[in-house]
Amino acid sequence: MTTSTTRVLALLEILQGGGIRTVPDLAALLDVDERTVRRYVGHLLDLGVPVDSVRGRYGGYRLAPGYRMPPLMLTDEEALAVVLGLLAAQRAGLVTASAAAAESAAAKLRRVLPKALARRLEALLDTAGFTARPRPAAAPEAEVLLGLAEATLHQRPVEIAYTDRTGRGSERTVLPYGLVAHSGRWYLTAADPAAADGGTRTFRLDRITAMTVRSGSFAVPAAFDPVADVLEGLARTPWTHEVSLRIRGSAEHVRSRLPPGIATLSAIPATAAVDGTGPPDGGEAPPDGSADPAADPHTGWVRVRMRAERLDWIPPVLAALDCPFVIERPAELRDLVQALARRLAEYGAR
C-alpha cells in the first residue's frame, strides 16, 4: 500500500471520528500540506465517500451525517470493545427480536478487520469462558425499542398494543418515563392516564406488538427513578403465592440476599415490643429499601412481602440470611422450612 493511499485512509479514519476538521488541523495530523489534504478529499469523493465542505471561519471537512462507511476502521481496543459488547448483549438476552443480528454484526466486523487483529479476537472468543449462564432472550422488536427510546427522550405520549401475562390484548396511550434492562428483558415504565389511580405501570417490551407516537408532551416527575419503579412494579406482580415474613436484621442485609425486583421491605422499629410472634407492624421504608431512621439497623425487624410462583427456593434463602424470622403466610412455606431444617440436621449429624 502506497504512502498516499495510507494517508487517504488515515484521513477517512479521522473524519470518521465525527465533527468538522479544519484543513490546517488535517494537514498537521497527516504531516502534509493543505493542498495535499484537499487532493486527498478529492480521492475520497471519487470513491463515493460523501465528504461535506463546510465554509466559514470555523469551516473545514466532515462526513455527511448518517453515512455508513464500507471500510470499518477501528483500533485494536475499539474492535475488542465492539465484539465483547455484542457478545455480552447476546448472553444477557438484551438483543432485539432479530436474534441473528448480533451474530451477523460480529461476523461482518470480523470480515473487515485486518487479519492479524481478526485472528486475535477469534482466539479470545474460542478460549474465553463465562461463569454466568446465557439468559434466554425475550427480545422486543428493534423498531419498538428504538421508537420508545425516542419517545421517552423527547417526552412524547405513545399508543401501544400490549398483551399481558394472561394473553389478554389491549391498546392504551401511556406516557413513557424510562426504559430498563433487567434479568434479560427490556421493560418500559410509564404513566397510564386511563388507570384508576393514574399511577405508573410496568410493561415488558417483548409483549408490545405495536407502538405509535402521539402528539403532545408531558413532564416526568422530579427525582423519578425508572429502575426503582420497575423493580417495585415487578415485586407487586400477582403470582400464585403471596409471602409475608418478619426478619430480624437490617433492610440492607435482607435485600442483599433476595433476587432484585421480587420483594418490598418495610422497616419495623426496634423499640416496638417483640414477643414470641415477632414485632407489630411498622411504617413503610423509603423506596430504596433502607431502614426507617427510627429503627436500629442492627437490632430492628423488617417485614418482607413478595409474590412467587413457587415456594421451594425461599427456605434456602432464609437459611442463608442466618437471621431470626417469623413466617406470617403462607402456611405451606412454614412446612417447607421445617423440612429443610430436618434435612440439614440429618446431614450435619453424619
Side-chain angles (χ1 to χ4, degrees), residues 185-350:
R185 292 191 174 98
W186 282 101
Y187 294 90
L188 169 70
T189 176
D192 187 355
D197 59 1
T200 58
R201 297 290 183 269
T202 299
F203 302 95
R204 273 176 48 176
L205 262 65
D206 59 299
R207 292 177 177 165
I208 298 177
T209 56
M211 58 87 52
T212 304
V213 178
R214 295 302 183 191
S215 59
S217 62
F218 61 90
V220 179
F224 179 79
D225 185 346
V227 173
D229 191 76
V230 166
L231 292 178
E232 291 175 7
L234 294 176
R236 293 192 299 267
T237 301
W239 296 101
T240 302
H241 302 283
E242 292 195 6
V243 178
S244 181
L245 309 162
R246 296 197 297 275
I247 301 175
R248 186 172 185 175
S250 70
E252 293 80 1
H253 174 67
V254 174
R255 187 175 293 280
S256 70
R257 298 299 191 273
L258 293 172
I262 69 162
T264 57
L265 275 65
S266 304
I268 300 175
T271 53
V274 180
D275 57 21
T277 62
D281 286 346
E284 287 296 315
D288 62 359
S290 58
D292 189 297
D296 184 331
H298 300 290
T299 62
W301 290 72
V302 294
R303 173 167 280 107
V304 178
R305 292 186 177 93
M306 54 188 172
R307 295 174 172 85
E309 199 65 27
R310 295 169 26 243
L311 297 174
D312 55 351
W313 62 271
I314 300 178
V317 172
L318 294 176
L321 278 171
D322 194 21
C323 295
F325 63 87
V326 176
I327 298 173
E328 295 181 328
R329 63 178 183 272
E332 304 98 291
L333 179 58
R334 191 175 295 111
D335 296 335
L336 291 173
V337 169
Q338 292 171 353
L340 175 62
R342 289 192 294 269
R343 291 198 301 274
L344 292 176
E346 179 184 347
Y347 300 153
R350 291 179 180 176

Side-chain angles (χ1 to χ4, degrees), residues 117-196:
L117 177 55
R119 277 198 309 270
R120 300 181 74 187
L121 288 176
E122 288 291 348
L124 173 62
L125 297 178
D126 290 342
T127 58
F130 300 87
T131 57
R133 295 180 179 179
R135 292 182 180 274
E141 295 291 339
E143 189 60 32
V144 169
L145 177 60
L146 297 177
L148 287 173
E150 285 190 313
T152 301
L153 177 64
H154 300 298
Q155 299 180 346
R156 300 284 302 279
V158 294
E159 181 180 338
I160 60 174
Y162 190 73
T163 304
D164 65 18
R165 61 193 299 264
T166 67
R168 183 172 60 90
S170 64
E171 293 185 357
R172 65 187 82 190
T173 298
V174 298
L175 312 180
Y177 284 177
L179 292 168
V180 176
H182 172 65
S183 296
R185 292 191 174 98
W186 282 101
Y187 294 90
L188 169 70
T189 176
D192 187 355

